[in-house]
Amino acid sequence: MVDNYIISIPKVSVIVPVYKTEQFLDKCINCLINSTLKEIEIILVDDGSPDNSPKICDYYATKDSRIKVIHQQNGGLSNARNVGINAAQGEYICFIDSDDFVSPDMFDKMYNLSETHNLDIASCGYSKVDLNGNIISLNPHPYSDLILSKPEINKMLESAHKTQVIWYVWRNMYKKRIILENNIFFNEELKFAEDSIFNLYSFAYAKRIGVLEDLLYFYRDAPNSLTSRKGKTYLEENLIRQYCEKKEYYKMFQIENLIKSDLKPYIVEHQLPMLLSNAMFLDDKISKFERIRGILKLEMIRDSLKDYDMANIRKLPRGIQLTIILSKLELLFLLSLLFKKK
């Protein structure tokens, strides 16, 4: 184990929010300690975890001087990441989820790419793994092996939702100056998909972005994670707030045309099915019909369905096609059958 590294200014600050991940935390921390880039600081933000995670964090801090542990009351993922940003001393910032792990040379490769090409953001692909770390799928970055200038970044943002390039902060390395100078922080009111808004602003302010073809991050697909959990009571409210914030983003950068061309198709093809499926698992006094009717009446859903180009439907999976058609026709009974709780 690395011990007593003396680093005046770390090259990279690695921010790891920690909450109820004692099963995977050793692997996560060890992969960071064993990084081939040694000039890093590892910021473990214990977000009031009730399991043994805080003790594990403190143990590793006694073994490696590059590890900084912050204990706090539970404030959520976005808050923990923001706390990490404010504590970071490095030139660059990376975010790692505490149940995931990375390739030993991830930070080395991304830092060298950033320094060589004067990047504001470096990115890579990732592998999805199961609970035992076995690879489920390989996910290359949609812009692999490219250096993007400002005009090319603007072009990339035209299809940010379609390509899903704004998903996940953990596959990126950000120049800290870009984050702090432009006051880019995570919205602490969001409990779901908070990465996308952070990335929209980060990419918009970046002048140069580089992408490695390597799959350097290993994302653990945990069935009980916030992302995978069914019946999320906060989902609708969070997606509405996210929609409003994204409209503000497009207005701020005077690219409101992208609301119709990129954001609204994404809402119809991804978030509408998500909301309908989630509604079937909500145990409350509202009937499923009323729940579906309420979803279809949401401004973000109503307007997106109205503007949706049905010519795009042919390339979609059959279930998504049916969802869109039935939603446009407001056939509540058939929608309830299509999304019947299984």
Side-chain angles (χ1 to χ4, degrees):
M1 182 175 292
V2 180
D3 189 24
N4 294 325
Y5 264 88
I6 301 175
I7 304 170
S8 56
I9 299 178
K11 291 179 177 178
V12 180
S13 296
V14 185
I15 298 170
V16 188
V18 178
Y19 187 74
K20 295 174 66 174
T21 53
E22 62 179 347
Q23 179 182 355
F24 309 111
L25 191 53
D26 284 298
K27 184 173 183 63
C28 177
I29 297 175
N30 276 310
C31 81
L32 304 180
I33 288 173
N34 294 322
S35 168
T36 57
L37 182 68
K38 300 305 180 184
E39 300 93 334
I40 65 173
E41 68 169 347
I42 303 165
I43 303 174
L44 306 176
V45 184
D46 162 35
D47 193 31
S49 186
D51 60 2
N52 287 319
S53 295
K55 292 181 181 179
I56 295 172
C57 293
D58 289 338
Y59 167 78
Y60 280 99
T62 66
K63 301 297 182 181
D64 194 312
S65 60
R66 298 173 300 169
I67 296 177
K68 176 190 298 182
V69 181
I70 300 173
H71 296 288
Q72 64 174 36
Q73 292 185 343
N74 181 251
L77 176 60
S78 291
N79 173 262
R81 285 174 171 170
N82 288 339
V83 168
I85 291 173
N86 286 321
Q89 299 297 312
E91 302 171 59
Y92 296 87
I93 287 178
C94 286
F95 302 96
I96 307 297
D97 287 351
S98 59
D99 51 354
D100 298 338
F101 56 99
V102 302
S103 173
D105 57 357
M106 175 174 171
F107 307 127
D108 221 340
K109 287 185 173 181
M110 297 179 82
Y111 177 80
N112 288 331
L113 184 73
S114 298
E115 289 291 290
T116 300
H117 297 282
N118 190 27
L119 303 179
D120 293 316
I121 299 173
S123 194
C124 67
Y126 70 96
S127 300
K128 183 182 290 187
V129 300
D130 62 18
L131 293 178
N132 297 316
N134 301 309
I135 293 177
I136 300 172
S137 64
L138 303 176
N139 302 273
H141 195 284
Y143 294 89
S144 288
D145 202 22
L146 290 174
I147 304 297
L148 304 175
S149 63
K150 189 60 181 177
E152 292 166 325
I153 295 171
N154 292 339
K155 185 67 176 178
M156 177 187 73
L157 287 171
E158 292 179 7
S159 56
H161 291 88
K162 181 179 181 180
T163 62
Q164 302 176 3
V165 71
I166 56 173
W167 289 18
Y168 315 127
V169 294
W170 37 250
R171 66 179 174 190
N172 301 326
M173 177 180 287
Y174 305 85
K175 187 171 287 184
K176 187 176 68 174
R177 177 178 56 79
I178 290 294
I179 294 174
L180 296 184
E181 286 184 358
N182 297 290
N183 198 33
I184 304 171
F185 289 90
F186 292 90
N187 185 329
E188 297 185 11
E189 294 182 349
L190 291 177
K191 296 182 180 179
F192 183 80
E194 53 281 295
D195 293 23
S196 60
I197 294 174
F198 184 92
N199 277 333
L200 279 172
Y201 281 98
S202 298
F203 292 174
Y205 284 114
K207 295 179 180 179
R208 289 174 65 81
I209 295 177
V211 184
L212 293 166
E213 62 181 352
D214 309 64
L215 312 184
L216 301 175
Y217 192 96
F218 296 87
Y219 164 68
R220 201 181 299 273
D221 188 22
N224 293 321
S225 68
L226 283 176
T227 304
S228 304
R229 193 178 304 156
K230 298 181 184 295
K232 294 184 275 286
T233 57
Y234 53 81
L235 181 63
E236 185 175 307
E237 177 187 351
N238 271 250
L239 292 183
I240 293 172
R241 181 175 285 119
Q242 192 182 112
Y243 174 65
C244 294
E245 288 211 16
K246 287 179 178 179
K247 286 202 302 181
E248 285 298 313
Y249 158 82
Y250 287 117
K251 182 178 180 180
M252 176 179 174
F253 288 96
Q254 299 181 337
I255 48 176
E256 292 170 279
N257 60 302
L258 298 183
I259 295 176
K260 182 175 181 179
S261 64
D262 186 50
L263 177 58
K264 286 185 175 180
Y266 173 78
I267 289 172
V268 171
E269 296 173 5
H270 294 271
Q271 294 187 342
L272 171 60
M274 185 190 306
L275 283 166
L276 292 171
S277 176
N278 188 70
M280 297 299 103
F281 290 86
L282 293 173
D283 296 322
D284 50 33
K285 296 179 180 180
I286 302 175
S287 71
K288 301 307 179 188
F289 283 0
E290 289 303 310
R291 181 70 67 182
I292 293 173
R293 181 180 286 111
I295 291 171
L296 297 183
K297 286 184 177 180
L298 292 174
E299 177 189 340
M300 58 177 277
I301 299 297
R302 185 185 68 244
D303 291 352
S304 297
L305 280 170
K306 179 182 177 182
D307 290 339
Y308 187 75
D309 184 356
M310 291 299 286
N312 296 328
I313 203 170
R314 287 171 293 184
K315 69 181 185 300
L316 301 174
R318 183 66 172 171
I320 305 299
Q321 292 183 21
L322 286 172
T323 299
I324 296 172
I325 293 170
L326 296 177
S327 296
K328 271 185 165 287
L329 297 174
E330 298 186 19
L331 297 176
L332 306 186
F333 176 71
L334 293 180
L335 279 170
S336 69
L337 291 179
L338 182 62
F339 285 92
K340 185 177 181 181
K341 183 176 179 180
K342 297 179 181 179

